[in-house]
Amino acid sequence: MTGCSMTMRFWGTRGGIARPGPETVELGGNTTCLQLELGQDEPLLIDCGTGIIEYARAGAGLSDHHHFHLLITHFHWDHVLGFPFFFPIHSPEATIHLYAPFDEAVILEHVGALFDGTYSPLLDMGNLPATIEIHQLGQERAEIAGVAVSCCPTDHTDPCFAYRFERDGRTLCVVTDHETRDNDANDQLAEFMTGADLLVHGAQFTEEQYLSDFEGSGHSSIQRAIATDEQVGAGRLLLTHHHPLHSDDRLRLHLARVLRQHPRPMPVELAREGRGYDVAARRDSPPS
Amino acid sequence: MRLTVHGTRGSYPVCRAGYNRFGGNTTCLFLRSGQDQIIIDGGSGLLPLGDRLARDCDARHRVHVFLTHPHWDHVVGFPFFRPAYDARFTITIYGADSENKKLEQIFQSQYRSGSFPVAFDALPARMGFHRLQAGDEVRLVDTTVRCIQLNHPGMDLGYRFDSARGSIVILTDLAPIVGNILGLGMKERAADHPHAFEQDYQSMLVDFIKGADLVLYDTNFTEEEIVGKQHWGHSTPQEALQVLGHLDAPPGLVLAHHDPDHDDACMDEIYRLAGRAGGSQGIDVFIAKEGGSFEL
């Protein structure tokens, strides 16, 4: 069966901190925010870096939506700092469902800290006009906004999770922050990613940068993300979490060089802000 | 004395085509005043500035950071400030406590576990804090710095930097005060005599600017946009010109803290109109552009 379309749209592709300017206009300067479009009524978003501000701004008829489903990978600034500027928080009609595989108290502590009256005039998340509902995800698969969602821990500097989305025989894995190196966490995550039709993987560094300065940083290089893609047999790879000081041109030139040196042709692209990528079932995948 | 603009956008960084002439980074200014290297605020513009300072550093360096207030658009760059990861740097941070955080905590909380991978105490640079209250004065090698409280939600300081070469005033963020008292503790102090309080504040603001060469002013809104949003804590070019109009020899005005909805074409128009209004008052109007600088 074909089912509805499944599209992964990027609203933020940078890691670390937003990086405006002419050098990042093409791939985008906003920090991590993705939207999974399934033709559903209620938007499903992953992370709320500054990209979520752009999502809200671009969303014609956004006020028609009353329920937003927002999955969080972890609480580093580049994954949450857009939330205080996400204007549906000021709408009494909106309910924002926050999901993460963390204790409810931990989610509340980290998201609540964005509203402490010091860093913005907003004091106390409980006083926001919108209803914020916290959902603690467990090990078992959950059904969220019409798609099956499961999660797996990554190897990062603080607890962080990858997500796997499955619907109508199509599978998408989103691994924003993970350091690919030889250990049990990596093996477990590789199993989790196996057979994805589309893999979104963080690739903050070049391999040279990674080896010289960033072992233990919790991030992968472009080369390591590509090696993982081959290992888990994903259909297509989208690289994201671009380094804030790497210009679009530098990233494109670097990826082209890596792919030229690669022994086989690889379906790899640099994720671009604003663009939607179809999650298509691979030709060789079994019918469902 | 040279003031360089590394970020001048308000609220949040704007990463869109059509914003590149004025820039999308949030507030970050660099003031070179004789021997003194001074940073005012650490919005997202601090990332490229820090990268350059660390690359150009060939010996021990001392950097003074003055914080106007701790709202996100003025602090978000600090965890990514490369000199903080470089043992050759001594970084002193000047600013006020917020309502519920000490100056130190405002910074340390940005590095707390779960939010950022590096702990504040693990930073290799020598980090120091200098707590300020409105009215305080700090003497650097070639610069004297004074501060006042501005009318903005929370605690917000305006700064004046005086050197032998001239005087620059930074007023961000601030709103018109009449019928709109916003600053931390101001309402309480104004309680019995709000009208007198508003007048005193306005005279204090004018006195603070008197004799300066250049004033950078938060002019986030147009006159149409500020209606119903006065309590957000920002001004308009007209408001800035009105304040400067109280002076016999007004300084040059630099429009700053651009609204995230104002693209380059919109900023051109705002600048054109403000320049014309300033001209009729005998006030030179300039505009903050990322990468641009003002030299005295």
Side-chain angles (χ1 to χ4, degrees), chain B residues 226-240:
Chain B
I226 198 171
V227 176
K229 293 180 182 167
Q230 282 214 340
H231 62 290
W232 289 22
H234 306 290
S235 295
T236 64
Q238 283 80 353
E239 166 74 12

Side-chain angles (χ1 to χ4, degrees), chain B residues 142-221:
Chain B
D142 294 313
T143 322
T144 301
V145 189
R146 286 187 288 143
C147 62
I148 55 169
Q149 186 183 0
L150 300 178
N151 187 40
H152 187 69
M155 175 54 78
D156 189 321
L157 296 178
Y159 289 106
R160 176 171 174 143
F161 301 90
D162 282 285
S163 78
R165 299 296 298 274
S167 171
I168 293 177
V169 175
I170 307 292
L171 301 179
T172 192
D173 305 353
L174 78 167
I177 198 159
V178 177
N180 186 45
I181 299 173
L182 301 171
L184 177 64
M186 285 183 167
K187 257 200 189 96
E188 292 76 4
R189 278 177 274 145
D192 297 335
H193 314 280
H195 184 63
F197 181 87
E198 289 166 4
Q199 283 188 325
D200 287 350
Y201 172 86
Q202 286 180 307
S203 320
M204 179 224 26
L205 200 57
V206 170
D207 282 345
F208 192 64
I209 300 169
K210 195 177 284 172
D213 299 289
L214 201 63
V215 177
L216 182 137
Y217 210 108
D218 163 11
T219 54
N220 190 92
F221 290 128

